[in-house]
Amino acid sequence: MTSRACLGEAPWALGLLGAAQSLGGALGGLLVGAVLGRLGEGRTLRLALGLAGLGLLGGALLPPWPLLAGSAFLLGAGGALFGAVAGAIRLGEAPPELRGRVAGGFLFLSGALAPLGPLLGGALAEVALPLPFLLAGGLLLGLAPLWRRGRAA
């Protein structure tokens, strides 16, 4: 079965989605300092979760690929913002002599657990293609208002 039969788009259009998400991540990474300076940690984290959640919910609607690329862009921007700020908070709370171990341990654990998300998403997509996007986007948008100064309430 081809991707066109599954998702209704040509493979080149699907490739643009990854590019849009990467560009969103690059822009999110460039704007971290400016957004942090203006909003502070807690509000930046809420914004990041909101952007990523909206990106995922936009994907659940399965719009035409140009709109889906916009959703992927939001997901990338929110993910980069969140990752940079949450990483800085995590390392800022670790004693200086343990920061390397904390960073390495986090990267190891997140890398080891990374395959679980796509596996779960694929299983949920068998039920309904928008389901993993709806659940993940709803979860992120639900967590956004609970975030205070770098920690979930």
Side-chain angles (χ1 to χ4, degrees), residues 25-116:
L27 181 64
L30 285 174
L31 295 177
V32 169
V35 174
L36 261 176
R38 179 167 274 224
L39 300 179
E41 287 176 353
R43 288 178 26 197
T44 299
L45 289 169
R46 284 193 296 273
L47 172 66
L49 288 173
L51 288 173
L54 289 174
L56 286 166
L57 289 177
L61 301 174
L62 296 175
W65 74 264
L67 297 175
L68 195 55
S71 293
F73 184 88
L74 288 177
L75 177 61
L81 265 175
F82 187 86
V85 177
I89 292 169
R90 181 178 52 254
L91 290 178
E93 292 181 356
E97 65 274 7
L98 294 179
R99 287 184 183 155
R101 289 182 182 174
V102 168
F106 178 79
L107 289 173
F108 169 76
L109 191 58
S110 61
L113 296 175
L116 297 179

